[in-house]
Amino acid sequence: MTGVALAEELLLLAYDDETGKATMPRISLDLGMAAAVLIELALAGRIAYADGNLAVVDPTPTGEPVADQVLAKIAADTPHSPSSWVQRLRHGLRDRILGDLCRQGVVRDVDETELGFIHVHRYPVVDPSVEADTRRRLAEALTGSAAPDERTAALATLVAVLRMEPALGVDGGTAADARRRLTEIASGAGFSGDVSLEDSVVRPSVALVVTALGHAVDAALGPRR
């Protein structure tokens, strides 16, 4: 794997560049982080769906620290379903990803104190180029000016499931159009909807993680209206 991880791209979209604060419910973001790492590993051919569970099919490290930690955890643990892994991995994952982004110089950690003893961390952007590239790819995918590659399609799928259209700078009727286009991208890539488990090793694994994420977000926030 090379470049910026899916979970990092998703997190940058979810945080305000200037205030460094999350702009969406933290539970759904944490669930999204977990799903993003699982999808990353599936796209890299490291994990696959088998007999109701996600299993490691290639233990070779990817070179991405957070993904490799998760890969090792899946390899060492007893088998679990996609839904179970989405829930199991969400705790503490966001902090690790933020820490990696700080070390890369993409964001900085601003530690503030409220009421004299409560520490609150903000993560304003230092290097805007990473998020700018992410937004450019998504904008091109939304307008149809370029066919999205597999990773951009995966990111668009996560944005759709997590109800993150406002993070793309769209609202009202434009948000509804964006949601429809994101859903089309997800379906066209085989990352959502009805996907036969015989189609391939990767896409069913991704689609099942996406389905698990959708159910978890609906349970946390209520069904999308």
Side-chain angles (χ1 to χ4, degrees):
M1 280 164 38
T2 59
V4 182
L6 283 175
E8 292 176 346
E9 292 191 295
L10 194 67
L11 190 148
L12 288 171
L13 289 173
Y15 271 67
D16 183 272
D17 290 355
E18 295 184 3
T19 67
K21 296 180 179 180
T23 61
M24 60 183 288
R26 302 222 169 187
I27 185 169
S28 58
L29 179 55
D30 289 344
L31 291 165
M33 296 290 97
V37 176
L38 292 171
I39 290 171
E40 189 89 71
L41 290 171
L43 293 179
R46 300 306 198 270
I47 63 173
Y49 179 82
D51 300 325
N53 299 305
L54 290 176
V56 173
V57 294
D58 180 358
T60 306
T62 66
E64 201 287 306
V66 173
D68 287 343
Q69 290 174 7
V70 171
L71 181 64
K73 183 175 179 63
I74 295 174
D77 209 333
T78 55
H80 295 292
S81 68
S83 294
S84 179
W85 276 120
V86 167
Q87 293 289 350
R88 285 170 176 268
L89 294 173
R90 69 181 176 90
H91 302 288
L93 192 58
R94 177 160 41 90
D95 288 339
R96 295 205 297 275
I97 294 169
L98 283 166
D100 274 356
L101 287 171
C102 287
R103 284 188 288 275
Q104 294 172 43
V106 178
V107 301
R108 63 189 179 96
D109 183 355
V110 178
D111 184 356
E112 299 176 333
T113 303
E114 294 183 355
L115 302 178
F117 64 95
I118 301 175
H119 284 271
V120 177
H121 292 263
R122 298 188 295 108
Y123 298 90
V125 167
V126 176
D127 178 2
S129 64
V130 175
E131 185 178 350
D133 179 69
T134 299
R135 290 185 177 277
R136 176 190 58 77
R137 290 176 14 244
L138 284 174
E140 290 175 351
L142 285 174
T143 59
S145 61
D149 59 25
E150 191 170 55
R151 288 178 57 80
T152 302
L155 181 61
T157 301
L158 288 165
V159 169
V161 176
L162 293 171
R163 314 175 190 185
M164 288 178 62
E165 295 89 354
L168 302 181
V170 296
D171 53 24
T174 307
D177 291 340
R179 185 160 53 249
R180 282 192 293 270
R181 176 59 182 149
L182 290 168
T183 302
E184 289 173 359
I185 292 170
S187 179
F191 293 158
S192 66
D194 295 327
V195 179
S196 169
L197 293 182
E198 286 75 33
D199 286 346
S200 70
V201 173
V202 172
R203 280 174 173 73
S205 302
V206 174
L208 290 166
V209 170
V210 168
T211 298
L213 174 61
H215 290 328
V217 171
D218 286 349
L221 304 182
R224 187 196 290 271
R225 296 181 179 179

